Amino acid sequence: MAIRNAHFLAYPPRPLDDKAIDESQSRNVLIFFISGNPGLVDYYKPFLSTLRGLLDEAKSLQRTRFQIYGQDLAGFRDEDHEPFTQQNKPHDLEYQIQNTLAALSALRVESGSRKGLHYDEVLLIGHSVGAYIALELFHRLLRNPELAPQLNLASGILLFPTIHHISSSPSGQKLDLLRRTPVLGDNAYRIAQSFLHLLPQSTLHWIVSKVMRFPTHAAEITTRWLKSRDGVWQALHMGMDEMQVIGEDRWDDELWEIAHDAAAHDKLVPKFFFFFGKHDHWVASHYRDEFIRMREKQIDRTRLIVDEGNIPHAFCINDSEVVAEKVSKWINQIYGAP
C-alpha cells in the first residue's frame, strides 16, 4: 500500500569530514516524521529545516548521518488519489497507519558507501495523531517483526501526542458531538465545502493571514488545503475516526521497556520522549496526568515532559524553531557521543 504522487520533504545529511571520521564507523539513521491532522507535511518545513541545521551543528553527533524525511498523510492532497465519493470515501486512521508503514519500509540510505542499504536505525517523530501512528508502528512491529523485518525502530519523539481518550479533550468533545449528531455528522464536510466554495481564494487567504494571524508559509498551505477538492472531507473523516479509535491506552509495558541495543550507543538511552502541552485543547489533562503517573516507573526509557511555557498544540504555525531546539537536544541524548 502506498499513495500515488506522495508529496514529501527530505533533508539529507551533509557529507562526512573524511579526515576526521571514517564512514565505516558512522551510523545511518532515518528520522521519519509523521504529521498531525491535517496531514500536510509542508506545515512542518520550518521545523524540519531548523532541526536539520541544529543536527549539523552538533559536534557530538558527527558520527551519525541523519536523513530527515516526512510525507503527507494520504488523502489531504488532491493529486494523490482519485476523487472521493460515497463509494470511495476518505481514508481512516487504520489506512494511514498501514500507508505510513509502507512508505517507511521503502526508504533506503541515499548516499555514501551504504547507498541502497537499509538504515541502521529509525527514529520516529510524530505530532498529534502522528504520535499515535508512531506508537502503533512500534507496537505492531514488536508483535510481528515480519511486517517489516528490515526496520530497526529505535526511538520515538512524540510531540503533543493525542494517544489517550482524544474524544474527552475540549476540542475532541466538540468533534465527537458533531460525529454523533444524526445527519449533521455525515454531512459536515458538505456544509464546510459549501461555505468555503463561496469565498474567493484571495479572501480566504486574507482571513487566514490577517484575522487568524498565520505566517506566510502556514497561510498559503491552509488556504490551498481549504480550497482543495477533498482536503476538508479527508480531515473531518479522519478526525471523526480518531474520536472512535483513540481511547483507552492499548499498549502494554513491553512496548515501553523493550531492550535497546545499548552496545551501539555505549550507554543506556531513552526509547521515547513525550512532550505534552501545558494546556492542549486536543488532550484531556486528567488522562495526560494519568498516563504520566503510570509511565513514571520507566523513567530511564520513557521521558515525560510537560511544557512549562505556552507552546500551542499546532506548534508548526509559529513555534517551529523552539520545538526544533528541544527535539535536537533529545536526539543528542540518544545519539550524542558519550
Side-chain angles (χ1 to χ4, degrees), residues 15 22 30 33 41 53 79 95 121 136 152 192 196 198 209 222 231 236 239 253 271 285 288 312 331:
D22 184 348
L30 172 64
F33 181 80
V41 74
E79 295 80 8
Y95 184 96
E121 295 182 3
E136 270 298 297
N152 178 18
L196 292 167
L198 296 174
S209 60
T222 302
L236 285 170
D253 287 344
K271 182 176 178 62
S285 295
R288 176 201 66 194
I331 292 175

Side-chain angles (χ1 to χ4, degrees), residues 168-185:
S168 296
S169 67
S171 291
Q173 291 176 4
K174 298 173 185 177
L175 183 56
D176 196 46
L177 176 62
L178 177 63
R179 178 186 66 84
R180 292 184 286 106
T181 301
V183 181
L184 183 58

Side-chain angles (χ1 to χ4, degrees), residues 77-136:
R77 192 178 296 266
D78 290 343
E79 295 80 8
D80 74 18
H81 62 276
E82 295 296 328
F84 292 141
T85 65
Q86 288 301 315
Q87 291 71 41
N88 176 39
K89 291 188 175 183
H91 306 304
D92 58 14
L93 185 52
E94 176 60 29
Y95 184 96
Q96 302 292 0
I97 294 169
Q98 294 186 30
N99 186 71
T100 301
L101 178 58
L104 180 57
S105 300
L107 295 176
R108 301 290 187 273
V109 176
E110 294 187 351
S111 62
S113 62
R114 302 181 200 174
K115 182 178 180 180
L117 300 179
H118 297 292
Y119 287 92
D120 297 314
E121 295 182 3
V122 176
L123 165 63
L124 296 181
I125 301 180
H127 172 227
S128 190
V129 70
Y132 180 89
I133 294 173
L135 286 177
E136 270 298 297

Side-chain angles (χ1 to χ4, degrees), residues 7-18:
H7 177 70
F8 66 91
L9 297 176
Y11 298 88
R14 65 182 181 184
L16 289 172
D17 183 349
D18 295 337

